[in-house]
C-alpha cells in the first residue's frame, strides 16, 4: 500500500465519521425542535382557558360599565327632577312673598299713617 491509498482510506473513514456525526447532530436538532413544538402545544393548551376567561371577564366588565352608566343616567335624571321641583317651589314662594308684600305693605303704611294721624290728633286735642 502506498501512501495515497492510506490517505484515501483515512479520508473515507473521516468522511464516514463526519456523515455519522452529521446524522447525529441532525437527529439532535430534530429532537430539540420536536421538544420545542411539544412545549408550544402545552403552552397553547394552558393559554386557551386564560384567553377564554379573559373574554368572559371582558364581557362582564362591559356589562358592569353599561349598568353603571345606566344608574348614572337615572341619578342625573333624579337630580334634575329634584332641581326642577326645588326651582318651582322657590318660584311659588317668591310669588307668594311678592303677593303678600304687595298686599300688606300698603295696608301697613296706611295703618302707620292712621296711627300718626291719630297721634297728631290727640296731641292737638290735648294742647287745646
Amino acid at each position: 500500500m502506498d501512501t495515497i491509498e492510506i490517505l484515501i482510506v483515512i479520508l473515507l473513514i473521516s468522511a464516514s465519521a463526519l456523515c455519522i456525526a452529521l446524522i447525529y447532530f441532525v437527529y439532535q436538532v430534530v429532537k430539540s425542535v420536536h421538544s420545542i413544538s411539544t412545549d408550544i402545544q402545552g403552552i397553547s393548551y394552558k393559554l386557551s382557558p386564560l384567553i377564554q376567561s379573559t373574554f368572559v371577564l371582558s364581557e362582564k366588565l362591559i356589562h358592569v360599565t353599561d349598568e353603571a352608566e345606566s344608574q348614572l343616567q337615572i341619578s342625573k335624571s333624579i337630580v334634575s327632577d329634584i332641581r326642577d321641583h326645588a326651582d318651582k317651589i322657590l318660584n311659588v314662594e317668591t310669588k307668594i312673598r311678592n303677593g303678600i308684600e304687595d298686599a300688606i305693605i300698603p295696608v301697613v303704611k296706611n295703618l302707620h299713617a292712621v296711627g300718626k294721624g291719630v297721634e297728631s290728633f290727640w296731641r292737638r286735642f290735648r294742647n287745646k
Side-chain angles (χ1 to χ4, degrees), residues 63-124:
H63 177 70
V64 167
T65 303
D66 290 343
E67 188 67 30
E69 286 178 356
S70 171
Q71 292 297 324
L72 183 62
Q73 290 298 330
I74 291 171
S75 297
K76 284 182 179 180
S77 173
I78 290 171
V79 168
S80 176
D81 289 345
I82 290 172
R83 184 177 296 140
D84 291 342
H85 287 303
D87 288 343
K88 287 178 184 177
I89 290 171
L90 289 174
N91 287 338
V92 168
E93 186 234 343
T94 303
K95 287 179 182 178
I96 290 172
R97 186 178 335 127
N98 289 339
I100 290 173
E101 287 176 355
D102 290 344
I104 291 180
I105 288 179
V107 172
V108 169
K109 286 182 178 179
N110 287 339
L111 287 176
H112 187 44
V114 169
K116 289 276 189 177
V118 169
E119 182 183 338
S120 295
F121 171 75
W122 282 111
R123 235 184 286 150
R124 288 249 188 208

Side-chain angles (χ1 to χ4, degrees), residues 8-40:
I8 290 175
V9 169
I10 292 173
L11 183 64
L12 288 174
I13 292 172
S14 296
S16 297
L18 283 175
C19 286
I20 292 172
L22 181 64
I23 292 170
Y24 177 75
F25 286 124
V26 167
Y27 171 76
Q28 290 293 330
V29 168
V30 168
K31 186 177 172 183
S32 295
V33 168
H34 181 67
S35 175
I36 290 171
S37 174
T38 304
D39 290 343
I40 289 175

Side-chain angles (χ1 to χ4, degrees), residues 42-58:
I43 290 172
S44 172
Y45 289 131
K46 289 180 182 178
L47 283 179
S48 179
L50 176 65
I51 291 170
Q52 185 65 26
S53 66
T54 303
F55 180 71
V56 170
L57 177 65
S58 174

